[in-house]
Amino acid sequence: MQVTAAEIWHALNQGEFRFFYQPKVSFLTGQVSGAEALIRWQRDERTIVPPDAFIPVALAHGLVPEITQSMFPRLVEDFQRIRSVNAATTVALNVTAQDLDTPRLLALVRAAVAGGSISSSQLEIEITESETVSGSEMTTSSLHALIGEGVQLSMDDYGTGYSSLDSLNRLPFDAIKMDQSFVLRMLSSPKSATLVKASVAMAQMLGLKTVIEGIETEGVYNTLIHCGCHEGQGYWISPPLAPDDYLAFLNAGNRWPASPVGMLRMAQLSHTWQKTLLVDAVFAYIKSEKRGDLNLKGLHTGHAECALGHWHCGLGKAFAGDPDYESLDVPHRAMHDICETIFSVIDTEFSLAQLKGMLDELTDNSNRVTASLQRLEARLLMEELGRGRGH
Ligand code: C2E
Ligand code: MG
Ligand code: MG
C-alpha cells in the first residue's frame, strides 16, 4: 500500500493514529514489567495500517516529529490508565533523530513529569543506533537532557547497524534491545544464538540491561531464560494490544516462566571477567616502563562494590541462609584483600615468586567463589526441572 505525505497529514488532523502496547516480561519475576508503545493508523473501522507502511514516508517528509508530538499526550493518557492497574510497569516510546532535533519532545516530557502524569523512571525511549549516528549535536544533547530527567534510554534493533559499539560508547544507554533477526534465527543458527547470548554478556559487563524481542515460541523463551537477559517481548508472550486489551491483559495477572539463574550466571561472569581485567592490568603495569597512562585505581574496589558484591548484597540476598550462597562470602572478601596487597606492593621491590604466590591465592579463592556459584546454579536448575515435572 502506497501512502502519501498528504494522507499522513490528513490522518494526523483526524486523530487516526493510536498506540498499541506490546507487553514485556521480566525473566526474573515472570511478571509484566512494561510495554512498548507501537503506533497504528486506524484508517477506518476495519483497516489498521502498520508503522512500516507510513513511518518511512513520514520520515522522508520530516513529519515524524509532528506525529510524535501529537501522540505523546495520548501515551501519557494511556499510561495513566495503565498505572491505575499496575503502578510498577514502564512504557517505551520509539523516537527518531528527527524527534530529538527539536526541543519540543523534551518540553513535552518535562511538562508531563512535572505535572505528575508520568514518572521519568517509568518512561523509556527507544532509538535505533542508525538514528543516533545520523543525528546532529542537537540529537545528542536532547538525549542527554532526557537522561538528565531520569528517562531510560534503550538502543533498539541492536546489532543491525554499522556502528552499534561506537554509539554504545558515545551515548549513555541504559539498555540494549537485541534485534529480532538474531532471535528469530536462534534455534536454527548456532551463530545467531551465540550473538544473542554474547551480546547479553557484553551488555552486562557494561552495566546495561538487555531486552530480547521477537520471542515467537516457548522454545526460544526457554532457551533465553537463563542467559542473563532482563526482559523478553514477542508474539509468544503477546502481540501488541489495543489499550483496553492491554489493560485486560495486565488485569489477568498472568505469569510466565522465570528464573534467578540468569542473574546468578551474570554474577559469575562478572566475577571471572573482573579477575581477568585485574591480572591483565597488573601485568601491563609491571611490564611497562611508562606507567603514567596505566590506571589501576578503577580496578580496586571494596568487596561490596564489585559486580559480584552488588549481586551478593542485592538480588543474591534471596538465597540468604543457603550454604553455597553463604560460603562464597569469605573467599570473595579474601580476593579483595589479596588485590589490596598486590596494589600495595606493586610500586615496591618484590619478587616474581611473591607475585606468583599472590596470584595463586587469588585463583584458589576465585575457584571457591565459582564453585559455590555453580553449585547454587545447578541446584536451582534441578529445582526448575523438578517443578516442570511436577516433583
Ligand atoms: P521496533 O521498535 O523494533 O518494534 C518491534 C516490532 O516487532 C513491532 O512491529 C512489533 O509488532 C514486532 N514484533 C513484536 N513481537 C514480534 C515477534 O515475536 N515476531 C516478529 N516477527 N515481530 C514481532 P511494528 O509495530 O510493526 O513496528 C515496526 C517498527 O516501526 C518498530 O520497530 C519501530 O521502529 C517503528 N515504530 C513503531 N511505532 C513507532 C512510533 O510510535 N514512532 C516511531 N518513530 N517509530 C515507530
Ligand atoms: Mg522499538
Ligand atoms: Mg526493535
Side-chain angles (χ1 to χ4, degrees):
M1 185 199 329
Q2 272 297 4
V3 166
T4 65
E7 287 170 320
I8 296 175
W9 257 122
H10 181 74
L12 198 56
N13 292 327
Q14 296 299 307
E16 290 175 0
F17 293 111
R18 58 199 299 217
F19 282 125
F20 271 36
Y21 294 89
Q22 186 174 36
K24 287 187 286 184
V25 162
S26 156
F27 283 125
L28 193 60
T29 66
Q31 289 171 306
V32 178
S33 52
E36 176 175 7
L38 293 160
I39 201 165
R40 300 287 180 264
W41 176 0
Q42 184 90 49
R43 272 199 114 158
D44 55 52
E45 279 281 294
R46 275 174 303 163
T47 321
I48 293 183
V49 184
D52 286 340
F54 64 90
I55 291 285
V57 180
L59 273 173
H61 291 84
L63 286 177
V64 166
E66 300 291 339
I67 300 177
T68 310
Q69 287 159 30
S70 76
M71 291 299 289
F72 189 75
R74 176 70 83 91
L75 181 89
V76 172
E77 225 172 86
D78 288 344
F79 187 72
Q80 282 176 304
R81 292 171 65 212
I82 294 168
R83 190 163 71 171
S84 69
V85 175
N86 186 335
T89 57
T90 58
V91 68
L93 174 71
N94 288 284
V95 304
T96 65
Q98 284 184 11
D99 292 305
L100 300 165
D101 242 349
T102 101
R104 286 285 302 145
L105 179 63
L106 178 62
L108 286 169
V109 169
R110 281 191 173 141
V113 170
S117 313
I118 192 163
S119 93
S120 57
S121 61
Q122 288 182 297
L123 179 63
E124 296 168 4
I125 297 282
E126 294 187 8
I127 184 161
T128 62
E129 160 273 300
S130 50
E131 291 289 325
T132 64
V133 170
S134 59
S136 60
E137 260 184 37
M138 178 73 189
T139 316
T140 311
S141 78
S142 295
L143 281 174
H144 279 284
L146 283 164
I147 288 159
E149 290 295 313
V151 171
Q152 301 290 298
L153 180 65
S154 300
M155 183 190 282
D156 208 352
D157 303 346
Y158 175 80
T160 51
Y162 296 109
S163 47
S164 308
L165 296 182
D166 179 49
S167 298
L168 275 186
N169 206 16
R170 278 187 305 111
L171 290 163
F173 284 97
D174 298 289
I176 61 171
K177 279 189 97 168
M178 202 62 215
D179 189 64
Q180 296 183 15
S181 56
F182 301 103
V183 184
L184 297 175
R185 286 198 297 266
M186 262 187 77
L187 295 188
S188 58
S189 153
K191 229 183 205 177
S192 297
T194 301
L195 282 167
V196 171
K197 292 181 178 181
S199 300
V200 171
M202 184 198 70
Q204 158 75 20
M205 290 186 262
L206 292 171
L208 303 173
K209 251 178 56 172
T210 34
V211 183
I212 293 191
E213 57 183 347
I215 302 177
E216 292 189 350
T217 63
E218 184 183 17
V220 170
Y221 190 101
N222 284 335
T223 309
L224 289 170
I225 193 168
H226 299 132
C227 79
C229 170
H230 296 75
E231 291 168 348
Q233 179 183 343
Y235 296 157
W236 186 68
I237 298 162
S238 165
L241 301 168
D244 285 347
D245 295 334
Y246 179 53
L247 292 179
F249 184 90
L250 281 177
N251 260 322
N254 290 334
R255 291 230 179 179
W256 281 261
S259 171
V261 169
M263 296 302 134
L264 180 60
R265 286 215 179 132
M266 289 300 119
Q268 276 180 63
L269 187 73
S270 307
H271 161 77
T272 319
W273 178 247
Q274 230 27 67
K275 178 175 174 276
T276 312
L277 283 185
L278 183 109
V279 172
D280 284 353
V282 168
F283 177 88
Y285 191 84
I286 295 170
K287 193 96 175 131
S288 308
E289 279 174 15
K290 278 193 187 155
R291 294 175 168 182
D293 55 342
L294 294 170
N295 185 4
L296 295 176
K297 283 209 177 74
L299 291 167
H300 185 216
T301 62
H303 74 279
E305 281 94 54
C306 71
L308 180 67
H310 274 292
W311 175 82
H312 196 255
C313 304
L315 288 174
K317 275 207 161 138
F319 305 109
D322 179 289
D324 289 319
Y325 170 82
E326 300 296 344
S327 68
L328 64 85
D329 192 38
V330 171
H332 181 223
R333 281 173 195 261
M335 285 184 73
H336 282 269
D337 290 345
I338 298 161
C339 291
E340 205 161 307
T341 314
I342 294 176
F343 288 123
S344 69
V345 299
I346 202 157
D347 284 317
T348 65
E349 285 299 314
F350 64 92
S351 69
L352 289 185
Q354 259 178 303
L355 180 63
K356 169 78 167 51
M358 288 190 275
L359 289 181
D360 284 348
E361 228 186 299
L362 196 63
T363 300
D364 289 345
N365 281 292
S366 171
N367 287 343
R368 286 171 62 198
V369 169
T370 309
S372 296
L373 289 168
Q374 290 190 357
R375 273 196 303 269
L376 185 54
E377 175 188 320
R379 208 181 48 258
L380 290 169
L381 287 172
M382 292 312 110
E383 279 171 19
E384 281 173 31
L385 284 177
R387 274 198 298 277
R389 288 172 162 189
H391 292 186

